[in-house]
Amino acid sequence: MNFERDTPLGVLRDESDRGDGLYVEDGIYADVFARRRIPWKGIALAVVLLIAGAISILFGIIFLYTDFTADRHGFALLVLGFLMFVPGAYHTVIAYKAFMGRPGFTFSALPEV
């Protein structure tokens, strides 16, 4: 992809200069990140998984160490909590870093719900 960075707004030399991250309007490219769609439902799901997983881990630890008759329930809550916490934390971190504009992180890495 060849475009001139020194010209105002990066005027394209020809139509072959279009790339995946650019859209063309009247021969001028603009970055898609200026018009990025934020997947709010996916971010909300990630935060819900993160919080529910943390609560399940907490209750699993409490059940394991306080009530001897609920050992199986405590272990089940720990496993369920980790299964929810890990993907929730992963996607929440990606969303946060994409929102802050860190290089290498985009909202396209998040699932569309």
Side-chain angles (χ1 to χ4, degrees):
M1 179 170 71
N2 298 322
F3 55 88
E4 300 172 16
R5 292 185 184 262
D6 298 332
T7 59
L9 296 177
V11 176
L12 296 174
R13 288 188 217 144
D14 59 6
E15 290 297 316
S16 66
D17 289 338
R18 279 192 275 187
D20 293 336
L22 305 173
Y23 68 91
V24 176
E25 187 174 309
D26 296 329
I28 298 174
Y29 83 89
D31 199 356
V32 172
F33 295 115
R35 294 185 181 191
R36 60 186 171 190
R37 273 187 54 214
I38 300 175
W40 292 111
K41 290 181 184 177
I43 293 171
L45 179 63
V47 170
V48 166
L49 283 174
L50 176 70
I51 293 170
I55 291 171
S56 295
I57 290 171
L58 178 68
F59 279 112
I61 290 172
I62 290 171
F63 286 167
L64 273 177
Y65 290 109
T66 58
D67 190 10
F68 294 108
T69 60
D71 284 343
R72 295 176 299 169
H73 298 211
F75 183 71
L77 275 176
L78 274 176
V79 170
L80 182 66
F82 278 113
L83 286 176
M84 290 190 295
F85 182 80
V86 171
Y90 175 76
H91 287 96
T92 302
V93 167
I94 289 176
Y96 173 75
K97 290 187 177 187
F99 187 75
M100 296 306 287
R102 298 265 173 96
F105 293 95
T106 61
F107 288 113
S108 63
L110 297 174
E112 292 284 334
V113 179

